[in-house]
Amino acid sequence: MILPIYIYGQPVLRKVAEDIDANYPELQTLIADMWETLADSEGIGLAAPQIGKTIRLSVIDLDVISEDLPEYKGFRQVFINPHIVEYDDTKTDTSEEGCLSLPAIHEKVERPTRIRVEWDDEQFQHHDEWIEGYLARVMQHEFDHLDGKMFVDRISPLRKQLIKSKLRALTLGRYRCGYKTKPVRK
């Protein structure tokens, strides 16, 4: 089932998500719904707070960009209880980011190019790995959602001031996008 994506201004997007266990109700259905919602919105990542759930769950599909980045051919991964446990700040990269919860807003964000992440997969097998490159950026973006943060929190105060009216428009329900959303108010 395609779920509505919560738009900037929704309180759930600012809450710190909770870890879950294998007994979380209807987990496999929720994961399937998240994949369907992500495909419908033509995104590459979706975190549970973006669909109104305050749990540490995210899905990332980089296969959709594998024509440009062939190293991600077939990459589709579920991340349960992900936590970034270490940042390698020796090298950073600044790239433009967008977000399904912030339609039509894109800004340059500086992030480390290498991070150490712990998470469980769909079978609750634990992983602890160093991740590099574009995947590291996407993980940082998605896992920020699990900590109540959004990419606009990582831009300069000047840039944030310059997009203030766009952010306000989102909170007022004044935006257009081609996927199902849950605005703050209409």
Side-chain angles (χ1 to χ4, degrees), residues 99-100 102-106 166 170 175-177 179:
C99 181
L100 297 173
L102 292 144
I105 295 179
H106 296 85
K166 289 180 182 180
L170 291 176
Y175 61 89
R176 278 189 278 200
C177 61
Y179 47 88

Side-chain angles (χ1 to χ4, degrees), residues 18-45:
E18 305 272 331
D19 282 352
I20 60 171
D21 62 25
N23 297 317
Y24 187 83
E26 307 279 330
L27 180 59
Q28 292 307 315
T29 300
L30 177 61
I31 290 169
D33 290 347
M34 287 179 72
W35 283 123
E36 191 174 348
T37 301
L38 182 62
D40 180 69
S41 62
E42 299 179 356
I44 60 173

Side-chain angles (χ1 to χ4, degrees), residues 75-132:
F75 186 94
R76 284 174 48 96
Q77 178 72 49
V78 174
F79 296 90
I80 298 172
N81 303 328
H83 293 273
I84 299 172
V85 294
E86 194 172 344
Y87 293 87
D88 178 352
D89 290 325
T90 58
K91 186 176 177 198
T92 62
D93 174 62
T94 301
S95 291
E96 190 172 274
E97 293 186 19
C99 181
L100 297 173
S101 293
L102 292 144
I105 295 179
H106 296 85
E107 291 291 327
K108 291 186 182 223
V109 179
E110 182 180 16
R111 295 190 187 267
T113 59
R114 187 171 179 258
I115 56 174
R116 186 174 143 226
V117 183
E118 289 187 23
W119 79 92
D120 297 327
D121 61 26
E122 268 185 278
Q123 290 72 43
F124 280 85
Q125 296 297 308
H126 190 71
H127 300 264
D128 182 339
E129 296 178 27
W130 280 97
I131 307 293
E132 297 183 42

